[in-house]
Amino acid sequence: MSYPYQIESYEAYQSAWKQSVEDPEGFWGKVAEHFQWRRKWDKVLSWNFRDPDVKWFEGGRLNITENCLDRHLERYGNYPAIIWEPNHPDEHHRVLTYQQLHFKVNQFAHVLHNNGVRKGDRVCIYMGMIPELAIAVLACARVGAIHSVIFGGFSAQSIADRLQDAQAEYIVTCDGAFRGGKDIPLKSVIDDALIACPFVKRTIVFTRTRTPVSMIKGRDVWWEDEIHKVETLGNPPFPAVEMDAEDPLFILYTSGSTGKPKGVVHACAGYMVYTNYTFVNVFQYKPGEVHFCTADIGWITGHSYIVYGPLSAGATSLMFEGIPTWPDAGRFWDIVDKFRVNILYTAPTAIRSLMAFGLGPLQGKQLDSLRVLGTVGEPINEEAWQWYNEHVGKRNCPIVDTWWQTETGGVLISNMAGVTPSKPTYATLPLPGVEPLLVDEHGQEIKGNNVSGNLCIRSPWPSVIRTTYGDHERCQKNYFSAYPELYFTGDGAMRDENGFYRITGRVDDVLNVSGHRIGTAEVENAINMHAGVVESAVVGYPHDIKGQGIYAYVIFSEMHGDEELTRRDITSTVSRIIGPIAKPDKIQFVKGLPKTRSGKIMRRILRKIAEGETENLGDTTTLLDPSVVQDIAKGRLTH
Ligand code: PRX
């Protein structure tokens, strides 16, 4: 397989970008010809960002799994599609060739169908990082069902919220998941979630950890038993369901500035074309190479750059079940050497956590197969960038700093490995099809270079968010109303003298903790669930490893006894309501919160205090009771 649309020089990038914005239809129409369609599209693009209403490849019909699997079989059937490395280094790894993956996806598509799943049904997938997770995702796409993968770290309550929002009647899960030294009882979390979701008809459970589970008669079935039923039928291939280009492919929930996560919806064709295009171009993938994206498939990075991007390109995608620091901090490097990984795509937080172990874990590792390094999820600091470059890439591997979001489906701003220039801590230039701009708070475009502002995008790329599930108005309000006719990213950015972009972080009430997006309002809601809590306010503060830590100011009614114990109670409440990823790092008990006369919490002040600034807190005269500020500053937690 070669990629006729792979850009191989800076000049080719410049001309592709120019063409893509002058004639998006001509540009993307050409790229899309390299995919397998049941019916060709009538129109490449029609759109407005007011409603918003965006349609790519209208009239086209396809099934994404034919592009990820079937079309590779003849020539590349024996190529590895997925290499899986288990959590425990002593357990055997697995390799699934395209042929084998195709077989397993077809088998499981039958299982889904036999259990009642039909086109358009929502299927929630809550599993650890095992090949069956990718198989379940692809099998949903094969039958035309809409998958909604939920990261294994989310709590029963979070799952229930998402199941209800999507009205998902089917669930695929595991008995448990291994993650480092832990064994997470996934099925029992699902059982707790389902108390609030009586509409769920079927739960299919894969055996991974042999953790005891309770199976509810009529609702729960074992994956293995269901596969056995298909085997006795002789394993016929499952005819891929023909989808409209704009039919939804999946929902993925993500946090915003309100208390309720949004179900971001992506559509079949545009998402396929764009994830493939960006995979091939950003990483400069060469057939036969091993691509290792360390994300979890529960996040968008895993969807786009473990599953759909690489597989649609016939690539070899490495999936890792464990964590970078277990059993020791050399785990990534061992995996790179074991499978001769060529592309390593990870998050700044992982790099920083490995840096903290010093150079010892890198000793004796070859890392000579590496050709390209990538980062995603949060701004990378200079120190982490240099460390990655020097000690992992041996100054020999371009680093791609890829900026994008759940809502964008694929990378929007990034250098292309070895093809376009890179600059430490800069995502650099927009990919073809992407027109970024900076605006001030009044929505005026900020032109020229060496400027900062709010990052917007002017026109649609093929994998732009189509809607938020069940609530189109919310999509309009969240992304398309702050600045008329523009997509607003929620990020701030600067543009340097060369026109390179550097993303500085969120400008809304969304935190980025270890590369995970968490809404402050969500954490506050969870804290407020604790019986003794009167009110709370949550802000982010700089954290050496996590990028941002969570600082909570809490008004507690009648504190009896141990503050530390109360802190632990509150933390475990958050863990139960959202999941361990949202646990506050610091909880300060306060008597009051700085509020304006209209009752709005002045987070700017709380943020400053959390960051360590206790003197210059700006104008506090508009506050209802300015004296609370001094009390809060005095009680600031330093550890
Ligand atoms: O703030 C930006 C940050 O992560 C946010 C998107 O989070 P999520 O939807 O969970 O997707 C993460 C993986 C694509 C963005 O709004 N972000 C992501 N990549 C970068 C980044 N910030 C700086 N540099 C990046 N490369």
Side-chain angles (χ1 to χ4, degrees):
M1 153 131 5
S2 64
Y3 312 104
Y5 44 88
Q6 195 166 45
I7 291 169
E8 283 165 347
S9 69
Y10 191 31
E11 295 67 41
Y13 156 74
Q14 285 169 316
S15 95
W17 188 83
K18 189 161 177 285
Q19 197 209 337
S20 74
V21 296
E22 284 170 359
D23 176 20
E25 292 202 56
F27 181 85
W28 289 110
K30 253 205 210 126
V31 174
E33 275 169 15
H34 300 283
F35 293 79
Q36 194 170 306
W37 299 83
R38 293 271 186 96
R39 180 184 186 277
K40 199 177 163 177
W41 57 90
D42 299 316
K43 181 153 179 50
V44 175
L45 171 64
S46 57
W47 69 286
N48 77 68
F49 268 176
R50 261 167 288 113
D51 298 336
D53 183 13
V54 178
K55 293 191 179 77
W56 282 95
F57 311 111
E58 210 173 344
R61 300 192 63 86
L62 76 160
N63 184 291
I64 197 168
T65 68
E66 291 186 330
N67 285 275
C68 289
L69 301 169
D70 303 58
R71 69 165 168 156
H72 307 315
L73 292 183
E74 201 178 316
R75 288 174 63 191
Y76 303 103
N78 294 324
Y79 265 48
I82 292 179
I83 298 175
W84 175 72
E85 172 68 11
N87 181 55
H88 201 294
D90 291 343
E91 188 180 341
H92 260 294
H93 69 270
R94 288 166 65 186
V95 177
L96 293 174
T97 63
Y98 273 94
Q99 193 79 53
Q100 290 164 330
L101 183 61
H102 176 262
F103 179 82
K104 284 184 176 290
V105 169
N106 275 278
Q107 245 187 350
F108 196 64
H110 275 296
V111 168
L112 291 174
H113 193 262
N114 291 346
N115 280 279
V117 178
R118 295 292 179 270
K119 181 175 172 180
D121 287 345
R122 277 79 55 219
V123 179
C124 156
I125 304 177
Y126 185 68
M127 302 173 90
M129 280 287 285
I130 53 176
E132 283 67 24
L133 166 52
I135 292 166
V137 161
L138 291 164
C140 284
R142 190 127 184 124
V143 306
I146 302 168
H147 55 77
S148 164
V149 183
I150 301 180
F151 173 61
F154 279 114
S155 68
Q157 178 68 50
S158 297
I159 298 168
D161 291 346
R162 286 159 173 75
L163 290 173
Q164 285 162 359
D165 187 77
Q167 285 294 302
E169 294 176 331
Y170 304 91
I171 295 178
V172 186
T173 188
C174 298
D175 50 355
F178 295 123
R179 255 176 87 76
K182 293 195 192 126
D183 168 351
I184 303 152
L186 298 182
K187 173 60 166 60
S188 101
V189 179
I190 288 286
D191 289 339
D192 289 347
L194 293 196
I195 294 168
C197 305
F199 50 84
V200 168
K201 291 184 185 150
R202 186 70 82 240
T203 304
I204 303 173
V205 187
F206 181 82
T207 311
R208 170 66 185 130
T209 55
R210 305 209 169 267
T211 311
V213 297
S214 59
M215 298 290 279
I216 305 296
K217 197 183 287 172
R219 189 194 72 188
D220 302 348
V221 295
W222 290 106
W223 172 299
E224 295 78 5
D225 292 347
E226 297 302 298
I227 291 287
H228 185 70
K229 288 182 198 160
V230 180
E231 276 165 355
T232 53
L233 289 174
N235 275 322
F238 188 93
V241 171
E242 189 173 295
M243 305 293 281
D244 193 272
E246 279 296 320
D247 276 337
L249 174 64
F250 65 85
I251 307 172
L252 187 58
Y253 285 86
T254 189
S255 297
S257 39
T258 65
K260 197 169 160 273
K262 301 176 285 257
V264 172
V265 176
H266 283 291
C268 292
Y271 178 81
M272 168 183 79
V273 169
Y274 196 74
T275 52
N276 176 294
Y277 182 84
T278 50
F279 171 71
V280 161
N281 280 299
V282 170
F283 302 104
Q284 290 289 305
Y285 184 81
K286 307 278 181 298
E289 287 190 325
V290 177
H291 171 76
F292 177 18
C293 166
T294 70
D296 191 290
I297 294 177
W299 307 110
I300 191 69
T301 308
H303 281 61
S304 302
Y305 300 109
I306 296 178
V307 182
Y308 289 112
L311 297 180
S312 66
T316 298
S317 184
L318 197 155
M319 243 180 114
F320 174 42
E321 186 184 34
I323 57 172
T325 48
W326 191 88
D328 60 53
R331 193 71 172 104
F332 275 2
W333 322 132
D334 289 336
I335 296 173
V336 167
D337 283 351
K338 179 172 174 185
F339 299 106
R340 310 267 326 137
V341 167
N342 306 104
I343 304 167
L344 175 66
Y345 188 31
T346 192
T349 188
I351 298 168
R352 288 192 301 263
S353 76
L354 293 173
M355 274 170 76
F357 287 86
L359 296 178
L362 281 152
Q363 254 152 35
K365 318 289 168 171
Q366 302 304 313
L367 306 185
D368 57 335
S369 55
L370 287 173
R371 186 179 62 76
V372 174
L373 303 176
T375 80
V376 59
E378 51 176 319
I380 183 164
N381 48 315
E382 176 90 28
E383 203 191 347
W385 195 99
Q386 297 296 354
W387 189 88
Y388 200 28
N389 183 40
E390 184 141 345
H391 300 294
V392 182
K394 320 272 190 211
R395 299 186 189 200
N396 217 2
C397 301
I399 297 178
V400 289
D401 179 350
T402 66
W403 172 83
W404 57 297
Q405 312 177 297
T406 306
E407 295 85 346
T408 71
V411 177
L412 295 197
I413 303 182
S414 173
N415 50 318
M416 296 181 182
V419 168
T420 64
S422 76
K423 176 173 176 180
T425 76
Y426 280 73
T428 72
L429 296 170
L431 295 185
V434 179
E435 265 189 286
L437 68 155
L438 299 176
V439 298
D440 65 20
E441 66 272 29
H442 309 297
Q444 288 301 316
E445 180 173 358
I446 306 169
K447 294 207 168 140
N449 288 343
N450 281 320
V451 290
S452 314
N454 290 342
L455 180 63
C456 293
I457 314 285
R458 202 186 297 280
S459 59
W461 58 99
S463 62
V464 61
I465 178 175
R466 296 303 197 270
T467 190
T468 44
Y469 192 81
D471 191 351
H472 193 64
E473 201 184 320
R474 199 162 171 218
C475 173
Q476 200 280 332
K477 277 217 179 90
N478 260 291
Y479 307 106
F480 300 93
S481 72
Y483 307 111
E485 313 285 334
L486 299 176
Y487 169 81
F488 175 44
T489 63
D491 279 323
M494 63 157 293
R495 190 168 50 221
D496 77 358
E497 61 282 4
N498 300 311
F500 289 3
Y501 287 87
R502 174 175 204 239
I503 315 302
T504 44
R506 304 287 306 193
V507 294
D508 52 8
D509 290 324
V510 172
L511 306 179
N512 193 325
V513 180
S514 300
H516 299 151
R517 231 165 110 170
I518 299 169
T520 51
E522 262 177 276
V523 183
E524 288 163 6
N525 288 348
I527 292 174
N528 298 348
M529 298 291 270
H530 188 291
V533 171
V534 178
E535 199 180 0
S536 64
V538 163
V539 296
Y541 71 96
H543 188 288
D544 285 350
I545 305 249
K546 298 178 173 186
Q548 266 189 317
I550 302 180
Y551 196 117
Y553 298 90
V554 174
I555 306 177
F556 202 82
S557 67
E558 298 171 51
M559 175 79 66
H560 306 292
D562 195 343
E563 274 199 4
E564 204 41 54
L565 211 62
T566 312
R567 280 199 184 93
R568 259 189 270 156
D569 278 356
I570 293 175
T571 306
S572 81
T573 307
V574 174
S575 217
R576 219 177 39 251
I577 303 290
I578 306 177
I581 53 171
K583 285 198 283 200
D585 298 274
K586 294 184 184 179
I587 298 176
Q588 180 182 345
F589 294 109
V590 296
K591 292 209 180 66
L593 292 167
K595 286 190 181 172
T596 60
R597 287 189 185 89
S598 59
K600 208 170 158 270
I601 295 174
M602 294 273 275
R603 283 163 196 286
R604 177 177 55 78
I605 295 174
L606 294 177
R607 236 178 266 131
K608 277 200 163 172
I609 296 174
E611 284 165 9
E613 175 68 69
T614 50
E615 301 290 323
N616 302 316
L617 296 171
D619 183 13
T620 55
T621 53
T622 55
L623 291 179
L624 195 58
D625 176 8
S627 74
V628 295
V629 174
Q630 288 319 314
D631 283 349
I632 296 176
K634 260 191 240 138
R636 188 179 88 85
L637 298 174
T638 48
H639 56 274

